[in-house]
Amino acid sequence: MTNATTTADKGAALLDGPDASPHVREALAATWRDPPGLIGMLCAINHKTIARRFMTTTFVFFILGGLLALAMRTQLARPDARLIDPGLYNELFTMHGTTMMFLFAVPVMQAVAGFLVPLMIGSRSVAFPRMNAYAYWVFLFGGILLFGSLAVNAAPAAGWFSYVPLAGPDYSTGKGTDIWAQMITFTELSGLLEAIVLTTTIFKLRAPGMSLNRMPLFVWATLVTQFMVIFAMPSVMLCSTALILDRLVGTHFYNPAKGGDVLLWQHLFWFFGHPEVYLIFIPPLGFISSIIPTFARRPVFGYPAMVLSLIATAFLAFGLWVHHMFATNIPELGKSFFTAASLMIAIPSAIQIFCWIGTLWTGRLNLKTPLYFVLAFFFILVLGGLTGLMLASVPLDLQVHDTYFVVAHLHYVLIGGAVFPLFGAFYYWFPKFTGRMLDETLGRWNFWLFFIGFNVAFFPMHLLGLQGMPRRVWTYPHGMGWDGMNLAATIGAWTIAASVLLFIVNVVTSYRRGAHAPADPWGGGTLEWSVASVPPPHNFDAIPVVHGRDPLWESTAQPQFVAGLAADAREVLATSVLDARPDHRPLFPAPSIWPFLSALATTVLFIGSIYTPWAVVWASAPVALAMIAWFWPKRRENARAVARERRP
Amino acid sequence: MTANRRSTLARTRPRDAESSALVLDVRTLPTYGYGHRSLMWWSTMGLMLIEGTVFAIAVMMYFYLRTMAPSWPMATSAPELRWGTLNTIVLVASLVPNQLAKRAAEREDLGRARFWLVICLIASVAFLVIRGFEFATLNVSWYANAYGSVVWLLLSLHTTHLITDTIDTAVLAVLLCTGPLEGKRFVDVSENALYWYFVVLSWLPIYAVIYWAARY
Amino acid sequence: MLATASYVFAICVLVKTQIGEGIAAPFQSALDPAGIQAKRILDLWHLTLTVCCVVFAAILIACLIALLRAPRAGRETPADISSTLNAEPRLRRSVIAATVVSVVLLFGLVFADVLTDRALSRLPVADAVHIELTGHQWWWEARYAADEGAPAFTVANELHVPVGRPVVVSLVAADVIHTFWAPNLHGKKDMIPGRSATIEFRADRAGSYRGQCAEFCGVQHALMAFVVVADPAADYEAWAARQREASPTPVGALEARGQQLFMTGSCARCHTISGTPATGRLGPDLTHFASRGTLAAGTLVNDRDALARWITDPGALKPAAMMPPTRLAPSDLHALVAYLETLR
């Protein structure tokens, strides 16, 4: 039963397998490759292509958000400064928060997962590759809308959290808040579709033998996060839609004079908003669980505890939201419940930290840049988590809520908990994304500048808050005792900017002239390291069969590979949810322009409805038509599918 | 099932004549599957979770606003029962052709699947028309007060689903008539039926809230 | 290495000197309580800070030890997968122990939090001064309730309270959400349109305590401050009595002309001066304007020069302030300012 026999058969498909000829490998690459040219770029659906675009785009937003922050910090370096007037300053901090939260922190995690998850689970693709592409385009257009508003001086200025009544029709005139609310619609649509893509991929496309308890912890973190996306994002979509309706067509959801309630906004927003920070925090827990084992040369200690901690954190995250509202007139007994929940969520995170420390303690350490960034997590995130315990207490929160203490806390947990591990992840997987190694020396400089600059920028803010400086202020008076700390914070901010600049330099020079990366530059244990850096378009020449949690480290059992998938058609192996037994081999669609065109039509619909409610009616038609064209089977593809069809 | 029972399972076989290495051969696996075996089923489930959450939160908004209101409905009478109740009956009844279409699809009976899909479409037209009457007899406008706003929100959210479900079903019905067809299309018809179930079943609590919660 | 060390050292010196300066002038600070509520919160802060520091140190030390004692490895070092076959009982026990300690500490914190919360809500409020505080964009309106027969009165931006007596402030928002926060006295409380809230505190030490709006409320959120002056009881009564009086009739000709300009110009449309025809409600009550230390909600010191500049062009000092500019001939401005200065 050799391949020679099969290829000789007339009309038989070209099949893959571990012993397939180079011809098969070329056929696979040609099958899964994206089409060339400009139109090809718009039709591309390979998950790695989309993910790289996605990561680059989110990084651009990170830079833009950072520049906004630099402008703010420069204004605040001295008291009574008049560099930036209050109207512009309020737009800047609104845009900074909105960009970082909606256009960077959550999407980048989905983007990285979009690249890595199929490789880690032994699949050739994500489920729904065209929807994956559509989600990217919708995200891109939403981000462009938001920054477009800044360019035409119609930016939102009511804060990233956009409280009513300030953001309502009476106090925020102009289109800024409407644009903000509609940008939410874009990004939440994108996020929700990505969640469906990633969840289905993880459940159904794992390599044979990769039962749920053999999945890499990063895949678990991604899965848990996507479920949170599914349950949290609807809340913000509803509340932002209700805001647009109040502003555009005269509803009264938030108008107390007509039976609405101001706090309804806060409940709906924070019911999303609190899980959102865990959407940002949980994937990096997956990064850390990927990086530590490789650089400690042993699997993470306590895999079941780690998985249960991820799940527990996700559940608990939905029960905390009122801790953002402790200063309101909600009944005190209710607030105490949220104090308890906010303290309890520390437990699963603590368990993870103890397991990681235990792994480091009993491992053998390879101190490279990715590990440095992960180690910074133990300093910065833990400090941020501890200030979070302080904020969980109602009496303490009543003093430091809405002050620079919270600014310090949120940056410690978000930058320490997400951005540092993210940088570690970039250093770790850059070879896989680009085929080159990032420079170690520049990496160390990047790291130390970031670490020192971060602490210089944000540690004084704890004290600033305790000493009375509120948030979201464009200036502060001289003589409050805040001058020195603000100046220090600004110096720290510029230091961070220098470190990010170093990172960009490292990326650009390494991309062109960095050392070529072997398939497995770090000696990792998971499947992505078994393919070339950069993986071929089809990821795996032969789908692996998995027998343990760290397939590359554990001695190989038989069978090792899958054979029999088509090499000249986009055939994917779908397996069962729990045990990953081979189930069927669906044919995936070819690259298509329809996701892009549908995204354009969706953009017209969303932007139109900022200006008139009738847009919902007439702009829906092109969206429907584009999506029908997207779905409608092409005769040639259909014929191919029928030719190789096998009924269940 | 075909006459000769050919395997649709993967099998482990020797990699080649010489070594003892094995390989997992999947060439005889089917190319599609129904129910939770299909990827579409999972995306439909995901969509149902998302939209279900949307409905649940909207219902919570309704009751939240109600607890803050001195009287409910505010400054008006409750929506008239006639059209909403009629629509509920039509929607629940439409589950029958829906289920029959699903079953026909899973048996890959093209003629029956087509037929029942068309019946579903007729039901769609009916409930969309009746939905129009429902809006007209809510006894409140969306800009009158928060009660009006949230009632219109609930009804509009559900109507959006009625419309998309109608379009989905229409597209599938046309496709079943014109082709091109492959086995996967029957899976699509089966999954569409699931979505239809969701649209109908999610209506029941919303109906209870809009029409009955306002009366107590 | 040296450059890094000097950089870090310079920053520390900078921060330290300014911290020193800050603590020397505890103007608006939660770290210098002047009342029992703020004191209770600070006590909880000290407890929580201690616990957190101990935990932080423990985790850092564990990390450091792990880093220092683990042997070094390279990419080629074979990975140790013995943990997939054998249990690791010692490691397991350590993780469980650390978790148990964490849970105990967390429960302890919950307990301390709840106790403090209860104490804060049980401030005895017999014989309290009642104030209704309304937050406007971007100033504060305070209406003192009638107190044992003495009538109610209205002030703006500067509150006086008697030392040792509880104060109950009911919080109202006129437009958007604002937050009342005087950190030396108590934590903050939101003023939410359509909802009512109260905050109760007691000043136990005489002095001036600055506060600031702590909920982003629009363009000039940053310049919406107020002062709470805690007076000994007798001084407070004197202040309150004076505030209850109508404004004094101006004596000199300059001041009289100033008053006339006030009444006939646009001033009277927005401001109230009791005892005169001016009954505008859009801006702060100016009946005893000159008795206040600051102007424009804590933005400026209340002196002649600042007042003149403020009247001429509020937007230059507090951009987007709702008060429009008033261009007057220098002699008119002089008269108006002179009049306003008589409103003690």
Side-chain angles (χ1 to χ4, degrees):
Chain A
M1 224 71 61
T2 62
N3 282 308
T5 331
T6 41
T7 47
D9 294 346
K10 240 211 259 266
L14 200 57
L15 296 178
D16 77 346
D19 303 307
S21 63
H23 176 52
V24 168
R25 212 180 314 131
E26 281 159 25
L28 277 171
T31 303
W32 286 94
R33 187 173 293 139
D34 283 317
L38 177 62
I39 298 295
M41 195 262 303
L42 298 175
C43 295
I45 60 169
N46 187 298
H47 76 96
K48 298 182 289 298
T49 311
I50 302 297
R52 264 190 296 253
R53 273 183 206 169
F54 220 141
M55 284 190 267
T56 310
T57 309
T58 56
F59 195 71
V60 168
F61 286 127
F62 174 69
I63 303 292
L64 289 174
L67 290 174
L68 295 169
L70 267 185
M72 287 156 58
R73 275 302 342 149
T74 309
Q75 157 68 10
L76 290 174
R78 302 268 75 207
D80 289 323
R82 287 288 195 274
L83 263 172
I84 294 176
D85 70 62
L88 178 60
Y89 186 89
N90 295 343
E91 288 181 4
L92 290 181
F93 80 70
T94 302
M95 292 289 293
H96 169 74
T98 305
T99 302
M100 290 304 197
M101 295 300 277
F102 292 107
L103 298 178
F104 166 67
V106 174
V108 74
M109 304 303 171
Q110 290 183 316
V112 174
F115 191 102
L116 288 175
V117 164
L119 289 165
M120 280 189 181
I121 63 174
S123 169
R124 291 209 163 115
S125 175
V126 289
F128 318 122
R130 290 180 301 179
M131 192 153 82
N132 194 33
Y134 173 75
Y136 168 71
W137 292 118
V138 167
F139 164 75
L140 175 68
F141 296 145
I144 292 176
L145 168 68
L146 185 70
F147 275 89
S149 78
L150 188 60
V152 301
N153 207 21
W160 84 276
F161 51 96
S162 200
Y163 275 4
V164 296
L166 183 63
D170 297 326
Y171 297 100
S172 271
T173 48
K175 285 299 179 190
T177 301
D178 302 296
I179 292 176
W180 177 90
Q182 205 62 308
M183 176 279 308
I184 301 244
T185 311
F186 274 99
T187 50
E188 304 313 282
L189 175 65
S190 169
L192 284 166
L193 293 177
E194 269 306 306
I196 294 184
V197 167
L198 288 170
T199 312
T200 311
T201 306
I202 293 172
F203 275 142
K204 292 297 296 174
L205 297 184
R206 300 194 311 275
M210 187 182 279
S211 50
L212 283 178
N213 71 335
R214 286 182 185 159
M215 281 191 336
L217 287 170
F218 174 67
V219 179
W220 270 112
T222 302
L223 181 66
V224 164
T225 305
Q226 303 320 305
F227 271 101
M228 291 180 65
V229 166
I230 286 173
F231 289 113
M233 285 192 175
S235 190
V236 77
M237 280 199 85
L238 260 181
C239 79
S240 63
T241 302
L243 179 63
I244 296 186
L245 289 173
D246 265 20
R247 290 174 60 88
L248 203 61
V249 299
T251 50
H252 296 287
F253 292 104
Y254 306 120
N255 179 7
K258 292 279 192 168
D261 185 41
V262 165
L263 283 190
L264 177 62
W265 169 269
Q266 295 191 23
H267 280 296
L268 289 174
F269 186 81
W270 290 117
F271 184 75
F272 153 79
H274 193 80
E276 194 202 22
V277 305
Y278 285 90
L279 300 180
I280 298 172
F281 176 59
I282 291 184
L285 299 179
F287 295 152
I288 297 173
S289 289
S290 305
I291 292 173
I292 285 188
T294 303
F295 294 96
R297 311 309 296 155
R298 59 152 293 169
V300 173
F301 169 75
Y303 181 98
M306 298 291 283
V307 173
L308 289 173
S309 295
L310 286 172
I311 296 174
T313 307
F315 264 105
L316 285 171
F318 281 89
L320 306 190
W321 83 91
V322 175
H323 72 213
H324 298 271
M325 298 163 67
F326 278 161
T328 63
N329 71 338
I330 286 176
E332 296 306 314
L333 186 59
K335 292 181 191 170
S336 300
F337 167 79
F338 287 93
T339 294
S342 303
L343 290 171
M344 290 308 130
I345 201 171
I347 299 173
S349 298
I351 292 175
Q352 296 211 303
I353 290 173
F354 299 145
C355 287
W356 285 321
I357 294 179
T359 308
L360 290 169
W361 192 292
T362 55
R364 281 165 298 164
L365 302 183
N366 183 7
L367 292 172
K368 292 286 188 297
T369 305
L371 189 62
Y372 275 66
F373 278 100
V374 163
L375 290 173
F377 168 95
F378 290 105
F379 183 94
I380 302 179
L381 179 284
V382 173
L383 201 158
L386 292 171
T387 57
L389 297 182
M390 296 169 180
L391 288 163
S393 145
V394 175
L396 293 182
D397 185 66
L398 290 181
Q399 280 287 28
V400 292
H401 167 67
D402 257 335
T403 67
Y404 264 80
F405 188 92
V406 181
V407 178
H409 162 74
L410 77 92
H411 286 93
Y412 266 84
V413 286
L414 288 176
I415 296 187
V419 178
F420 269 84
L422 180 68
F423 271 77
F426 277 138
Y427 276 88
Y428 185 53
W429 279 301
F430 190 81
K432 204 51 63 177
F433 298 153
T434 63
R436 307 275 188 157
M437 304 293 290
L438 280 170
D439 182 76
E440 251 321 283
T441 312
L442 271 181
R444 304 285 170 91
W445 274 93
N446 178 187
F447 170 76
W448 283 111
L449 268 179
F450 201 168
F451 185 81
I452 293 171
F454 171 82
N455 283 291
V456 168
F458 290 101
F459 193 81
M461 292 186 185
H462 293 109
L463 207 42
L464 272 177
L466 285 164
Q467 293 201 345
M469 184 170 177
R471 289 174 83 165
R472 301 162 182 150
V473 289
W474 67 283
T475 190
Y476 53 95
H478 178 66
M480 300 297 295
W482 302 337
D483 304 6
M485 288 186 278
N486 269 295
L487 182 58
T490 302
I491 293 174
W494 281 97
T495 312
I496 296 177
S499 92
V500 174
L501 186 61
L502 261 185
F503 176 74
I504 295 175
V505 167
N506 199 354
V507 167
V508 171
T509 53
S510 300
Y511 189 74
R512 300 211 191 122
R513 290 170 298 162
H516 284 277
D520 187 10
W522 309 113
T526 40
L527 284 176
E528 76 271 26
W529 304 111
S530 72
V531 298
S533 302
V534 171
H538 53 283
N539 292 349
F540 298 91
D541 291 337
I543 306 290
V545 177
V546 166
H547 301 278
R549 285 180 188 149
D550 296 287
L552 268 56
W553 285 349
E554 290 162 34
S555 51
T556 52
Q558 295 292 333
Q560 248 192 295
F561 292 104
V562 170
L565 290 174
D568 55 359
R570 287 172 176 253
E571 214 166 80
V572 162
L573 182 62
T575 55
S576 64
V577 174
L578 293 176
D579 295 326
R581 277 175 290 107
D583 187 64
H584 65 286
R585 32 179 194 106
L587 188 66
F588 268 28
S592 160
I593 192 82
W594 290 108
F596 174 73
L597 293 178
S598 301
L600 275 182
T602 309
T603 303
V604 170
L605 169 63
F606 285 169
I607 296 186
S609 42
I610 295 176
Y611 293 94
T612 160
W614 286 110
V616 177
V617 177
W618 51 256
S620 294
V623 175
L625 289 171
M627 291 188 171
I628 292 173
W630 169 348
F631 161 76
W632 202 267
K634 317 284 175 290
R635 297 224 163 258
R636 198 146 37 104
E637 274 190 30
N638 193 78
R640 277 170 124 215
V642 170
R644 40 179 292 290
E645 190 167 282
R646 205 169 163 89
R647 293 177 59 180
Chain B
M1 282 295 133
T2 47
N4 50 325
R5 188 154 181 10
R6 79 233 198 302
S7 168
T8 54
L9 300 174
R11 55 195 186 87
T12 311
R13 61 164 172 82
R15 226 164 113 161
D16 50 46
E18 292 91 48
S19 72
S20 58
L22 301 171
V23 78
L24 183 59
D25 196 319
V26 296
R27 77 186 73 194
T28 54
L29 286 180
T31 52
Y32 60 96
Y34 290 95
H36 67 84
R37 297 175 69 186
S38 96
L39 271 57
M40 267 306 271
W41 185 92
W42 289 91
S43 74
T44 310
M45 281 297 139
L47 179 74
M48 284 161 55
L49 273 180
I50 293 168
E51 298 305 317
T53 307
V54 172
F55 286 142
I57 295 178
V59 166
M60 285 195 258
M61 282 167 74
Y62 180 99
F63 285 107
Y64 178 87
L65 289 170
R66 180 174 147 145
T67 55
M68 324 217 64
S71 67
W72 191 268
M74 295 174 196
T76 184
S77 51
E80 289 178 32
L81 281 177
R82 179 180 356 139
W83 296 110
T85 311
L86 176 61
N87 222 355
T88 307
I89 296 172
V90 173
L91 279 166
V92 171
S94 76
L95 288 179
V96 172
N98 181 53
Q99 176 62 18
L100 291 169
K102 181 172 195 285
R103 247 201 299 151
E106 283 164 15
R107 277 186 275 120
E108 303 194 11
D109 181 343
L110 182 59
R112 281 232 156 69
R114 260 190 223 144
F115 174 75
W116 289 116
L117 273 188
V118 169
I119 302 294
C120 287
L121 273 181
I122 295 173
S124 305
V125 172
F127 56 60
L128 281 176
V129 167
I130 301 175
R131 178 55 54 89
F133 285 114
E134 280 187 81
F135 271 110
T137 54
L138 279 178
N139 292 333
V140 72
S141 65
W142 67 87
Y143 48 82
N145 48 48
Y147 161 76
S149 305
V150 80
V151 164
W152 274 76
L153 178 73
L154 274 170
L155 200 56
S156 307
L157 280 173
H158 188 262
T159 308
T160 314
H161 284 273
L162 281 184
I163 294 175
T164 51
D165 205 6
T166 305
I167 296 177
D168 286 350
T169 310
V171 167
L172 279 174
V174 171
L175 183 61
L176 287 190
C177 294
T178 65
L181 292 176
E182 55 161 307
K184 204 162 63 159
R185 298 303 149 220
F186 289 112
V187 178
D188 290 338
V189 174
S190 172
E191 302 312 328
N192 185 63
L194 261 190
Y195 180 48
W196 191 289
Y197 267 109
F198 170 74
V199 171
V200 171
L201 294 176
S202 64
W203 168 244
L204 298 177
I206 296 176
Y207 165 73
V209 168
I210 294 178
Y211 291 95
W212 292 100
R215 292 183 148 75
Y216 289 101
Chain C
M1 205 67 241
L2 189 58
T4 315
S6 356
Y7 167 91
V8 175
F9 181 69
I11 298 289
C12 288
V13 168
L14 190 62
V15 173
K16 191 172 183 314
T17 49
Q18 295 302 325
I19 292 177
E21 180 192 296
I23 290 177
F27 206 2
Q28 178 176 317
S29 171
L31 297 174
D32 182 45
I36 183 169
Q37 306 285 58
K39 169 110 191 8
R40 288 190 175 119
I41 297 176
L42 190 65
D43 289 341
L44 179 61
W45 164 255
H46 286 139
L47 171 66
T48 311
L49 182 63
T50 310
V51 170
C52 289
C53 285
V54 166
V55 170
F56 189 49
I59 292 185
L60 281 187
I61 290 170
C63 277
L64 265 158
I65 296 179
L67 286 176
L68 291 172
R69 81 187 273 279
R72 295 298 180 253
R75 179 203 173 279
E76 308 302 336
T77 313
D80 173 13
I81 53 164
S82 57
S83 59
T84 57
L85 301 163
N86 313 322
E88 297 176 89
R90 272 185 49 190
L91 206 40
R92 197 159 150 272
R93 275 197 296 266
S94 310
V95 169
I96 290 178
T99 307
V100 169
V101 169
S102 308
V103 172
V104 168
L105 288 175
L106 284 170
F107 270 99
L109 284 180
V110 174
F111 191 58
D113 292 341
V114 170
L115 281 183
T116 308
D117 218 3
R118 264 176 30 148
L120 289 176
S121 64
R122 284 172 185 203
L123 181 73
V125 290
D127 190 35
V129 175
H130 288 268
I131 305 176
E132 183 187 85
L133 189 66
T134 303
H136 296 263
Q137 281 179 318
W138 293 284
W139 58 281
W140 308 87
E141 175 189 343
R143 186 162 178 75
Y144 281 68
D147 186 15
E148 289 168 9
F153 61 92
T154 304
V155 298
N157 299 329
E158 184 175 294
L159 305 173
H160 284 243
V161 297
V163 171
R165 255 177 88 185
V167 180
V168 175
V169 184
S170 48
L171 301 166
V172 177
D175 34 41
V176 298
I177 304 180
H178 298 277
T179 300
F180 172 78
W181 184 42
N184 297 81
L185 295 171
H186 196 6
K188 54 183 64 73
K189 202 74 186 264
D190 287 348
M191 305 151 113
I192 299 171
R195 286 173 169 252
S196 56
T198 58
I199 186 171
E200 292 135 13
F201 62 89
R202 190 182 74 213
D204 293 319
R205 194 178 81 206
S208 272
Y209 308 108
R210 190 176 185 273
Q212 210 172 329
C213 174
E215 181 62 63
F216 180 61
C217 54
V219 179
Q220 274 307 353
H221 164 64
L223 297 181
M224 184 173 160
F226 60 90
V227 181
V228 179
V229 180
D231 293 319
D235 292 349
Y236 169 74
E237 291 305 332
W239 173 86
R242 226 177 25 251
Q243 298 293 328
R244 287 189 187 99
E245 292 164 5
S247 67
T249 333
V251 196
L254 184 67
E255 291 81 1
R257 190 163 127 248
Q259 184 187 53
Q260 194 203 18
L261 282 163
F262 189 98
M263 299 305 152
T264 54
S266 52
C267 315
R269 272 200 289 244
C270 296
H271 293 282
T272 297
I273 299 182
S274 72
T276 73
T279 51
R281 302 289 311 271
L282 291 171
D285 185 305
L286 299 179
T287 310
H288 296 282
F289 166 73
S291 68
R292 298 184 214 150
T294 61
L295 151 62
T299 307
L300 304 160
V301 175
N302 189 0
D303 60 33
R304 285 196 104 97
D305 177 54
L307 182 55
R309 283 186 294 136
W310 174 253
I311 293 172
T312 308
D313 189 2
L317 299 163
K318 188 170 169 179
M322 306 260 189
M323 176 163 153
T326 308
R327 302 251 175 259
L328 293 172
S331 55
D332 285 347
L333 182 60
H334 186 56
L336 183 56
V337 168
Y339 167 61
L340 289 168
E341 297 274 291
T342 66
L343 297 172
R344 295 208 174 281

